[in-house]
């Protein structure tokens, strides 16, 4: 799922980004795909969670009859303190390197990244 919260900022050229992520594997994967700059005013915040379990009885039919997600990956872009773009996906297994790559490529496709 993609949300654009500020069209004006989302159309600006992205020539640099800071990276905020607390998972070392995800950080390494993203650094293979893009050269991040700690001094940039635009930043990419990445969050993920694996091994999600739902203990609610209200969702029992969804858990039994469908592929209930067990993890998620979220990438959000900010300019200063303004959130302008968010990408979110539910996943059936743990977040993989391939999931991270696909998500970042989608972010690049949706936004105006300057060619390096």
């Amino acid at each position: 799922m993609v949300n654009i919260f500020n069209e004006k900022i989302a159309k600006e050229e992205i020539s640099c980004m800071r990276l905020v992520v607390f998972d070392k594997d995800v950080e390494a994967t993203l650094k293979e795909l893009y050269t991040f700059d700690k001094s940039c005013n635009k930043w990419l915040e990445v969050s993920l969670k694996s091994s999600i379990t739902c203990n609610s009885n209200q969702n029992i039919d969804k858990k039994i009859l469908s592929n209930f997600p067990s993890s998620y990956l979220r990438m959000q872009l900010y300019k200063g303190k303004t959130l302008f773009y968010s990408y979110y996906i539910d996943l059936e297994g743990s977040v993989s390197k391939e999931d991270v790559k696909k998500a970042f490529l989608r972010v690049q496709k949706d936004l105006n990244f300057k060619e390096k």
Side-chain angles (χ1 to χ4, degrees):
M1 175 170 55
V2 171
N3 287 308
I4 296 177
F5 298 100
N6 187 313
E7 290 278 345
K8 183 180 177 197
I9 297 174
K11 289 179 182 177
E12 291 177 3
E13 182 177 81
I14 297 176
S15 58
C16 68
M17 285 189 304
R18 284 187 289 160
L19 177 62
V20 178
V21 62
F22 299 104
D23 182 285
K24 295 295 182 194
D25 293 333
V26 171
E27 180 179 16
T29 299
L30 289 169
K31 285 183 174 180
E32 290 174 11
L33 301 172
Y34 190 83
T35 304
F36 293 92
D37 179 353
K38 292 180 182 180
S39 65
C40 191
N41 73 336
K42 288 183 179 158
W43 47 285
L44 175 67
E45 180 179 285
V46 181
S47 59
L48 62 133
K49 184 165 182 164
S50 295
S51 303
I52 298 171
T53 57
C54 179
N55 297 322
S56 171
N57 290 335
Q58 294 174 341
N59 291 324
I60 195 75
D61 58 331
K62 290 179 185 172
K63 289 192 289 188
I64 292 171
L65 300 173
S66 69
N67 295 328
F68 198 79
S70 61
S71 61
Y72 74 82
L73 176 64
R74 176 183 292 129
M75 294 186 177
Q76 295 182 307
L77 277 98
Y78 294 82
K79 181 177 182 181
K81 293 184 179 184
T82 303
L83 173 64
F84 67 91
Y85 175 92
S86 179
Y87 171 86
Y88 177 92
I89 187 166
D90 285 323
L91 300 164
E92 292 179 28
S94 295
V95 177
S96 70
K97 184 174 185 170
E98 194 60 33
D99 294 325
V100 174
K101 285 181 177 181
K102 284 180 185 177
F104 189 73
L105 292 174
R106 172 64 191 266
V107 171
Q108 286 183 309
K109 178 180 168 261
D110 290 346
L111 300 174
N112 185 16
F113 274 71
K114 180 179 178 180
E115 295 293 322
K116 293 216 176 206

